[in-house]
Amino acid sequence: MMKHETPLLDQLESGPWPSFVSDLKAEAEKRAKNEENIEFQIPSDVVEDLLGVLELSFKDGTTHWKHGGIVGVFGYGGGVIGRYCDQPNAFPGVAHFHTMRVAQPGGKFYTTKYLKDLCDLWDLRGSGITNMHGSTGDIIFLGTTTPQLEEVFFELTHRMGQDLGGSGSNLRTPADCIGQARCEYACYDTQALCYDLTMEYQDELHRPAFPYKFKFKFDGCPNGCVASIARADMSFIGTWKDDIKIDQEAVAAYVGGEFPSNAGAHAGRDWGAFDIQKEVVDLCPTNCMKYEGGKLEINNRECVRCMHCINVMPRALKIGDDKGLSILVGAKAPILDGAQMGSLLVPFIKCEEPYDEIKEVIEKVWDWWMEEGKNRERLGELIKRQGFQKLLEMTEIDPDPRMVSEPRSNPYIFWKEEEVEGGWDRDINEFRKHHLR
Amino acid sequence: MAFISSGYDPKEPMKNRITDIGPKKFDEFYPPVIAKNKGKWLYHEILEPGILVHVAEGGDEVYTVRCGGARIMTTSLIREICEIAEKHCDGYLRFTTRNNIEFMVDDKSKVDALKKDLAGRKFAGGSFKFPIGGTGAGITNIVHTQGWIHCHTPATDASGTVKATMDEVFSDFQNMRLPAPLRISMACCLNMCGAVHCSDIAILGYHRKPPMLDHEYLDKLCEIPLAIAACPTGAIKPTKVDLPSGETVKSVAVNNERCMFCGNCYTMCPSLPLADKDGDGIVLMAGGKVSNRISEPKFSKVVVAFLPNEVPRWPQMTDTIKKMIEAYAADAKKYERLGEWAERIGWERFFEKCELPFTHHLIDDFRDPAYYTWRQSTQFKF
């Protein structure tokens, strides 16, 4: 018997998609029974009260969580988000219901041993409710009380060799795609770079010293499976410089229908026989391909590596050997100044340990942003406010037509004094010798 | 309940303290077949919806069974996931960026038993625990935020809107009939923790009323200059207010006409709440993508300016989403993403084909970006 009636939420139990309501109800019952005699360190009816307060939100059409609250673990400024219910009397189990962000492993691979250790810890010291995973990528522990924060942190670090992630105005927990672990498209080891930078910048991750949040995301190729181009202040997107490798026999197998096009992604409908001209050559954004006499040719110099032809024929076309990554900067969601896509800062950089070249770019960008960024100003907004040229100046990167989709159409060029012969100081009296007033 | 100490001593917080150790190293968790073949993958194929095979240079194969899941999950469910992984996958598994669960096996003969096991597991309410799907030219799991279940600024619920939507589009989770992948994302307020601004279809919680002013507490709880500086449209200014008690307090005044309801002031100052049952609801956006494939990444565009929060299943919202999906499925060319389709046929046709009314709210009026969205041409369609 549940503590609170939840007629609205109950309607979210039907239908085929996994119901979080059913999951939470089962958890509530399990905690009530407590067959394993766990000495719960926070109220055992926490899940029931969470369902209760959510039902109230469904009824009221508004949230019942209070604004923030400063809680955390000693020495860190991030990783814990304070959360209090605004109806603590009705729902005492969730009166204090803080979130802890647990730094996730690259590619989100797990062993069951590790996950079960996390579950044991969270059953004892938290609500037993998680997000797998939060939007930034972390494992989210949802709901515990203040006295448990240090205890959870102690057990994570001492028993599991595991740290908290980031929150607040700091480096957020970096996240990567599956990369070379299980993808033939990955142009660099996303997990290795993500891990290296995460470890290098632990201080920036845990102790907010930035104007606002800062996100690194790592995509192994231009397909962009972690959406870095849209949401990372610094996106690392794999690419290559040399030729796409063609296996003409495999091309013929696609044309002959032996291999399913697009790796079988369109199997749910009869689109007719595979037509390489229509589906590959004609869709190439630069028209740099041709298929003649049963042979596919690519003018690689004109290729923009959009990935379409490779995606359509993964067994016939392979990314080149001269691999590296592009760095784009300044992506963000709309708050505050409108949405921004990442802008290309470094067209190509090799991705080799110890990644010094990459770190040099990062640190120059940070130096500028920390000096000039206003409170709650994302890097992308600073770039807009002070200009891309300023970014180039601060990072000491040479301008390149690859950085723009077109050159400026207004001629309001801000020449600097040192760029103009003779500077700006002139003698008006000299001028007047030849020009009457 | 007796307090159980982990060993942490609050009197000596620095004693034996371990910090800044970061996440577990990724390769501790690789299944053997992944560890062996990392960086040596030749190609992959989707054998059926939700089932992938990746083939390595040496001939090794890994079969992946992808399952959808509610992102909010309990430890009991995680334990069940572990039980499945131990039974079929030697104790390894992974999650995808879109919150799917992936079970991997190194031999085709192990796939059927795994599939059968997953498909047979249901919650007491009748829903699947581990529906298989989410691959290729279909709809995969919806990335989303916290909503009413845990956030202080949401304009709608996240888990509820996602459950309602995924139930409605479930057949496209388990099928691959669409012209291209279709990504639905959900964010419960403009902060967009879910970064829905580049999705094929985006569900966005939205406030429509300016903040309320809790004058009595404002100066006690907030830094007034921060609240003023937080407003991107400069709608907030300092003022003095006489309370009914006769006391004069420092507070702020809001120019309501300038407010775009972003809630940024509330983030800086809890005395400026703006949530409201009638004011809050859903914005639908469409046509965004993050991939560089064929065309460049695109932002999602607002296609429905407001729908009310119709709990618990948001029927107008799901109906509108379904209409867009069906119009797209019927009309787009193979490989064409929803936004590419809209651009090819033109947005005037998009609204026609999706049977969506075009209202003045859909014409941009926010700063410079607005100008670039107005038509500077006589090339339009009747």
Side-chain angles (χ1 to χ4, degrees):
Chain A
M1 189 62 195
M2 288 284 154
K3 219 171 123 183
H4 309 282
E5 299 263 305
T6 53
L8 291 168
L9 292 179
D10 293 350
Q11 295 177 54
L12 290 173
E13 289 201 83
S14 57
W17 188 252
S19 170
F20 68 100
V21 177
S22 297
D23 185 19
L24 290 174
K25 279 186 170 180
E27 185 69 17
E29 269 177 42
K30 191 177 158 194
R31 280 176 86 94
K33 280 191 199 147
N34 193 17
E35 284 172 348
E36 288 167 43
N37 287 318
I38 299 169
E39 258 194 276
F40 296 123
Q41 297 293 290
I42 73 164
S44 62
D45 57 358
V46 51
V47 187
E48 285 178 83
D49 275 351
L50 182 67
L51 282 164
V53 75
L54 183 61
E55 176 76 15
L56 184 65
S57 281
F58 269 59
K59 211 170 118 216
D60 291 351
T62 54
T63 191
H64 281 289
W65 296 103
K66 283 210 269 191
H67 193 290
I70 308 288
V71 287
V73 299
F74 193 78
Y76 280 13
V80 182
I81 298 121
R83 191 66 77 226
Y84 301 91
C85 182
D86 71 4
Q87 301 292 314
N89 295 328
F91 308 103
V94 293
H96 302 228
F97 197 67
H98 311 318
T99 299
M100 300 186 84
R101 290 189 180 162
V102 180
Q104 82 286 4
K108 300 192 181 89
F109 283 92
Y110 293 104
T111 57
T112 54
K113 161 88 174 69
Y114 171 82
L115 283 180
K116 286 192 290 190
D117 285 349
L118 280 185
C119 290
D120 288 343
L121 171 60
W122 198 234
D123 281 340
L124 177 70
R125 301 194 178 278
S127 67
I129 304 167
T130 77
N131 284 153
M132 296 299 281
H133 298 75
S135 296
T136 296
D138 308 80
I139 302 160
I140 305 287
F141 279 171
L142 218 57
T144 194
T145 57
T146 308
Q148 292 305 315
L149 297 172
E150 286 291 355
E151 307 295 333
V152 172
F153 181 67
F154 188 95
E155 293 202 22
L156 279 175
T157 49
H158 283 77
R159 303 201 214 299
M160 297 189 66
Q162 169 68 55
D163 209 337
L164 294 181
S167 65
S169 290
N170 57 14
L171 175 64
R172 297 300 178 85
T173 318
D176 52 21
C177 71
I178 193 168
Q180 294 177 341
R182 201 197 59 198
C183 181
E184 67 270 30
Y185 301 149
C187 301
Y188 70 98
D189 189 340
T190 52
Q191 270 130 50
L193 179 60
C194 180
Y195 185 75
D196 188 283
L197 296 183
T198 305
M199 299 311 285
E200 174 92 19
Y201 299 119
Q202 281 292 300
D203 194 32
E204 284 77 5
L205 207 152
H206 287 126
R207 293 167 198 89
F210 287 160
Y212 200 9
K213 65 178 89 164
F214 197 94
K215 296 182 177 178
F216 288 153
K217 307 270 176 221
F218 306 86
D219 273 312
C221 84
N223 278 327
C225 289
V226 289
S228 70
I229 204 164
R231 62 196 191 118
D233 299 271
M234 256 181 143
S235 322
F236 301 86
I237 304 178
T239 196
W240 68 95
K241 271 179 138 172
D242 55 345
D243 295 355
I244 291 174
K245 290 178 274 187
I246 307 178
D247 176 345
Q248 296 291 354
E249 272 179 39
V251 172
Y254 279 103
V255 173
E258 286 163 55
F259 299 154
S261 65
N262 214 42
H266 286 86
R269 198 200 297 192
D270 183 9
W271 290 92
F274 176 64
D275 180 341
I276 191 169
Q277 183 66 34
K278 193 172 134 201
E279 296 185 37
V280 179
V281 176
D282 292 349
L283 289 179
C284 171
T286 61
N287 292 312
C288 74
M289 317 180 78
K290 61 180 177 185
Y291 182 71
E292 276 172 10
K295 208 169 161 237
L296 186 72
E297 273 180 57
I298 302 174
N299 179 359
N300 280 282
R301 214 178 132 64
E302 301 310 313
C303 171
V304 290
R305 300 165 317 285
C306 85
M307 297 296 294
H308 175 67
C309 59
I310 298 175
N311 288 334
V312 175
M313 302 190 292
R315 297 175 75 157
L317 303 178
K318 306 269 172 227
I319 56 168
D321 290 322
D322 190 6
K323 297 172 214 163
L325 57 86
S326 305
I327 302 177
L328 289 87
V329 289
K332 60 180 277 285
I335 289 271
L336 301 158
D337 237 7
Q340 282 181 244
M341 204 71 82
S343 298
L344 182 68
L345 176 63
V346 180
F348 188 86
I349 196 165
K350 278 280 184 192
C351 185
E352 285 159 357
E353 285 179 287
Y355 312 114
D356 285 341
E357 262 189 296
I358 290 171
K359 287 171 190 168
E360 205 178 307
V361 178
I362 293 168
E363 285 164 28
K364 282 178 183 160
V365 165
W366 279 351
D367 283 347
W368 176 51
W369 181 55
M370 288 172 76
E371 184 70 28
E372 297 288 334
K374 294 194 277 194
N375 183 33
R376 285 169 69 76
E377 185 174 51
R378 292 283 288 269
L379 174 64
E381 288 155 346
L382 174 65
I383 297 170
K384 254 165 111 177
R385 181 161 65 83
Q386 293 204 347
F388 198 85
Q389 297 194 24
K390 187 77 184 172
L391 172 70
L392 292 183
E393 195 184 310
M394 300 315 289
T395 50
E396 299 173 274
I397 294 172
D398 290 333
D400 185 320
R402 293 171 189 86
M403 291 167 184
V404 294
S405 57
E406 60 182 44
R408 64 196 305 156
S409 54
N410 73 75
Y412 304 137
I413 301 164
F414 291 96
W415 289 94
K416 290 196 183 83
E417 184 174 13
E418 61 269 26
E419 292 177 321
V420 183
E421 295 78 3
W424 289 348
D425 281 338
R426 289 177 288 161
D427 185 345
I428 187 68
N429 295 322
E430 245 340 275
F431 181 78
R432 286 295 168 220
K433 283 181 188 167
H434 314 286
H435 300 273
L436 297 180
R437 271 190 189 92
Chain B
M1 69 191 178
F3 186 85
I4 299 175
S5 168
S6 62
Y8 170 73
D9 180 0
K11 291 193 193 97
E12 286 186 90
M14 294 312 287
K15 196 179 157 195
N16 297 327
R17 195 168 189 86
I18 300 173
T19 62
D20 300 284
I21 54 175
K24 297 295 273 188
K25 189 145 182 269
F26 51 91
D27 53 8
E28 287 176 42
F29 295 152
Y30 282 161
V33 63
I34 296 289
K36 183 179 164 203
N37 295 292
K38 181 173 178 178
K40 294 180 213 153
W41 297 103
L42 262 188
Y43 68 91
H44 77 282
E45 254 165 44
I46 305 168
L47 301 176
E48 57 185 272
I51 318 283
L52 303 149
V53 61
H54 286 78
V55 181
E57 283 165 9
D60 281 350
E61 295 177 329
V62 61
Y63 291 84
T64 302
V65 181
R66 182 179 293 173
C67 308
R71 168 187 96 143
I72 185 161
M73 56 176 69
T74 65
T75 48
S76 302
L77 192 70
I78 297 173
R79 288 181 203 278
E80 192 167 338
I81 292 168
C82 291
E83 178 201 318
I84 296 166
E86 280 166 6
K87 198 162 131 197
H88 300 275
C89 316
D90 302 319
Y92 297 93
L93 65 126
R94 75 175 285 266
F95 287 81
T96 71
T97 305
R98 300 194 72 91
N99 305 323
N100 297 293
I101 308 145
E102 287 189 341
F103 296 99
M104 288 156 284
V105 292
D106 55 10
D107 195 291
K108 195 172 188 178
S109 65
K110 298 176 183 171
V111 175
D112 276 347
L114 172 59
K115 265 172 62 184
K116 210 173 148 203
D117 189 350
L118 292 166
R121 291 174 191 255
K122 288 191 164 188
F123 283 111
S127 64
F128 287 106
K129 282 181 173 171
F130 306 107
I132 298 166
T135 50
I139 294 173
T140 191
N141 206 341
I142 300 180
V143 288
H144 64 96
T145 55
Q146 301 288 19
W148 290 331
I149 208 160
H150 200 56
C151 183
H152 66 289
T153 62
T156 188
D157 189 42
S159 313
T161 52
V162 166
K163 163 71 174 153
T165 305
M166 284 310 291
D167 276 343
E168 289 293 331
V169 304
F170 188 72
S171 62
D172 281 322
F173 176 79
Q174 297 203 311
N175 199 333
M176 304 189 291
R177 62 154 186 147
L178 297 178
L182 190 133
R183 300 280 179 258
I184 308 177
S185 307
M186 193 285 154
C188 52
C189 86
L190 261 183
N191 252 316
M192 277 198 194
C193 304
V196 305
H197 58 296
C198 293
S199 304
D200 294 281
I201 295 178
I203 303 166
L204 174 64
Y206 203 80
H207 302 289
R208 290 186 307 164
K209 293 192 184 184
M212 290 171 269
L213 307 166
D214 201 351
H215 293 305
E216 198 182 337
Y217 290 92
L218 204 138
D219 191 34
K220 296 181 189 130
L221 283 170
C222 316
E223 294 288 342
I224 286 178
L226 280 182
I228 291 167
C231 180
T233 64
I236 304 177
K237 62 180 181 186
T239 191
K240 284 190 178 158
V241 175
D242 296 327
L243 297 178
S245 64
E247 189 192 353
T248 301
V249 291
K250 286 184 193 164
S251 188
V252 300
V254 175
N255 179 347
N256 287 340
E257 282 178 21
R258 272 204 200 169
C259 180
M260 59 169 186
F261 324 107
C262 68
N264 205 42
C265 55
Y266 179 58
T267 299
M268 300 312 282
C269 172
S271 296
L272 295 167
L274 66 168
D276 185 89
K277 184 170 191 159
D278 302 314
D280 296 353
I282 301 283
V283 170
L284 288 178
M285 303 178 78
K289 71 180 191 101
V290 293
S291 158
N292 289 276
R293 185 173 184 174
I294 304 178
S295 65
E296 290 178 9
K298 303 175 200 305
F299 290 121
S300 319
K301 283 84 182 163
V302 177
V303 294
V304 178
F306 185 77
L307 291 169
N309 275 326
E310 296 171 314
V311 296
R313 282 199 167 267
W314 285 266
Q316 282 193 71
M317 177 193 82
T318 56
D319 285 353
T320 312
I321 290 171
K322 267 171 67 185
K323 266 199 306 203
M324 279 193 270
I325 294 169
E326 288 311 324
Y328 163 67
D331 201 59
K333 295 178 180 174
K334 193 176 176 187
Y335 304 112
E336 204 167 46
R337 292 288 289 262
L338 190 138
E340 294 168 326
W341 166 64
E343 284 172 11
R344 175 172 60 82
I345 63 172
W347 285 96
E348 56 267 58
R349 284 286 174 276
F350 173 87
F351 282 91
E352 203 176 288
K353 285 181 193 280
C354 295
E355 297 170 30
L356 297 174
F358 190 85
T359 70
H360 70 277
H361 291 120
L362 304 181
I363 298 174
D364 198 348
D365 52 4
F366 187 76
R367 296 188 181 159
D368 282 357
Y371 172 79
Y372 300 103
T373 62
W374 305 336
R375 193 186 302 273
Q376 284 105 33
S377 156
T378 55
Q379 294 185 11
F380 58 86
K381 291 180 185 175
F382 284 110

